[in-house]
């Protein structure tokens, strides 16, 4: 009978909801039931990252590891989450790429409460959409290069689709990060972080375990750039990447490329055919960055020798190649356009600049109203000297135009890099009422006002 075939799933979901909402009501006289453990338990506590025996960074981490634990969830299957803060600073966990209510999305600017030192919070979240997501802190760092995103407080989240395509043999998760360093004034007078060490999954090249592969394997690599501020370029010597998803969303036109470019907070999922037995380096394409540690050894079974790197001659990447082919219809006439111009303004002393959207900086900035159900196009123009990875919370957008490109279709993302002097246009449907943060994902830029909050009318 149909009832029986669904009962297991139903019971599990029902249990998750009941245990989180009405645990107290379940206790019976004379029988004390222990509180049901949450599906996901996250503890934030002090931790030391050992990038190499000579490079230690005192920071905080999720569950005593950097990156934090890999979480796997089923699309739309409710999860109970418990987060304990064992640090001396308030914390908040942002679920990046998910469509959650503002109260648990994980941004104070949207109204998510901070978790004070020594306390904990619990809630139920319904994970969607399916794809490669992540979770990370969303606090202020200022000039402290051990805080917030500088401290590497992040983890991978894979939301499994209901029907798994499975065109690969196994998955590998790779997180790129930058550590240490100091702020340095450039020729333009801006203060930028300059890092001492770069890592993949918390280790410098040569100090982590090699990734063991078998000849003939198809490996799905999920790459996350969790860098607080830096764009990274990644190649695997001897191999190419078949890019199948950007920011966890399948692309209309998978492409085979020789390298990946990831702006802060971006993800690329790519299939690598392991068909060149040997010992290879997967690493940052730019030599001076790879020299600070960003790389990992890929080792075929029974292969030996010094890891091989081949230096690409130029940096190549563009979003457009992954969009749908053919003539794209122009944007529907009922789409409302919101123009956003980015620039910066010096405060006048101490070389402190404020980042601005339409001449305003958070929190002294207008909060545009969205009408539920309506389609919007954000027309972004970057008049500053930096590139900016722009992130929209709680919604997925479609990249419709980058710089002078034709109209694009089917490229669903949650971060888009808007180049210095360039433009980007993205569209989304206002389908998730609540305060919605829109900001540059570079920690130093968001700390200096590069944020705005949309609200629903
Ligand atoms: Cu920025």
């Amino acid at each position: 009978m149909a009832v029986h075939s669904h009962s297991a799933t139903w019971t599990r979901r029902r249990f998750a909801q009941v245990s989180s909402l009405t645990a107290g009501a379940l206790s019976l006289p004379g029988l004390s039931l222990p509180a049901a453990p949450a599906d996901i338990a996250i503890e934030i506590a002090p931790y030391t990252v050992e990038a190499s025996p000579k490079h230690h960074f005192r920071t905080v981490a999720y569950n005593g590891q950097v990156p934090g634990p890999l979480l796997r969830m089923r699309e739309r299957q409710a999860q109970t989450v418990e987060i304990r803060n064992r640090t001396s600073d308030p914390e908040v966990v942002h679920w990046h790429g998910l469509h959650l209510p503002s109260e648990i999305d994980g941004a104070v600017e949207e109204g998510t409460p901070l978790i004070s030192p020594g306390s904990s919070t619990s809630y139920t979240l319904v994970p969607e959409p399916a794809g490669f997501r992540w979770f990370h802190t969303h606090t202020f760092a200022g000039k402290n290069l051990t805080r917030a995103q500088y401290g590497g407080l992040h983890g991978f989240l894979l939301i499994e689709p209901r029907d798994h395509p499975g065109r690969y043999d196994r998955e590998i998760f790779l997180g790129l990060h930058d550590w240490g360093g100091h702020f340095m004034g450039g020729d333009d007078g801006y203060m930028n972080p300059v890092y001492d060490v770069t890592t993949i999954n918390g280790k410098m090249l040569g100090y982590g375990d090699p990734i063991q592969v078998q000849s003939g394997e198809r490996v799905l690599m999920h790459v996350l750039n969790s860098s607080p501020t830096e764009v990274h370029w990644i190649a695997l010597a001897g191999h190419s990447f078949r890019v199948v998803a950007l920011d966890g969303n399948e692309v209309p036109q998978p492409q085979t490329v020789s390298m990946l470019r990831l702006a802060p907070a971006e993800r690329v999922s790519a299939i690598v055919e392991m068909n060149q037995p040997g010992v290879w380096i997967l690493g940052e394409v730019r030599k001076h960055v790879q020299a600070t540690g960003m790389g990992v050894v890929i080792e075929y079974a029974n292969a030996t020798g010094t890891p091989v790197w081949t230096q690409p001659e130029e940096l190549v990447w563009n979003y457009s190649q992954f969009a749908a082919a053919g003539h794209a219809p122009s944007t529907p006439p009922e789409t409302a356009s919101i123009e956003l111009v980015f620039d910066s303004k010096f405060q006048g002393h101490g070389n402190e600049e404020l980042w601005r959207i339409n001449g305003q900086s958070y929190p002294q900035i207008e909060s545009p109203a969205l009408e539920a159900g309506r389609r919007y196009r954000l027309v972004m123009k970057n008049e500053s000297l930096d590139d900016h990875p722009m992130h929209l919370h709680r919604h997925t957008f479609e990249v419709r135009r980058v710089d002078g490109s034709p109209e694009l279709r089917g490229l669903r993302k949650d971060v888009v890099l808007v180049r210095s002097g360039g433009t980007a246009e993205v569209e989304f449907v206002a389908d998730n009422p609540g305060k919605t943060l829109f900001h540059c994902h570079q920690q130093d830029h968001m700390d200096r006002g590069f944020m705005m909050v949309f609200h629903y009318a």
Side-chain angles (χ1 to χ4, degrees), residues 232-245:
H232 284 298
W233 297 81
I234 294 295
L236 169 53
H239 298 74
S240 53
F241 300 98
R242 180 80 176 162
V243 174
V244 294

Side-chain angles (χ1 to χ4, degrees), residues 198-209:
T198 60
T199 59
I200 294 181
N201 291 352
K203 295 287 182 190
M204 294 169 75
L205 178 58
Y207 295 102
D209 292 331

Side-chain angles (χ1 to χ4, degrees), residues 355 384 386-390 439-446 450:
W355 289 95
S384 79
D386 285 11
D387 300 345
H388 302 290
M390 300 307 300
H439 66 96
C440 174
H441 218 280
Q442 249 188 259
Q443 181 77 47
D444 54 334
H445 293 179
M446 54 187 287
F450 206 155

Side-chain angles (χ1 to χ4, degrees), residues 96-97 99 129 246-247 249 266 319 375-378 380 389-402 409-418 424-429 431 437-439 454:
H96 188 121
H99 300 172
L246 296 180
D247 293 353
N249 307 309
E266 281 191 314
Y319 290 128
R375 193 174 178 84
Y376 290 88
R377 177 178 284 223
L378 305 181
M380 296 176 269
M390 300 307 300
H391 172 46
L392 181 66
H393 282 228
R394 307 178 59 249
H395 299 74
T396 304
F397 55 64
E398 187 181 359
V399 178
R400 294 303 304 267
R401 199 192 283 274
V402 178
R409 252 185 330 149
L411 214 56
R412 290 168 303 125
K413 291 176 74 2
D414 50 57
V415 177
V416 66
L417 186 67
V418 190
E425 299 180 22
V426 303
E427 283 187 15
F428 68 99
V429 175
D431 57 2
L437 187 61
F438 171 73
H439 66 96
F454 291 102

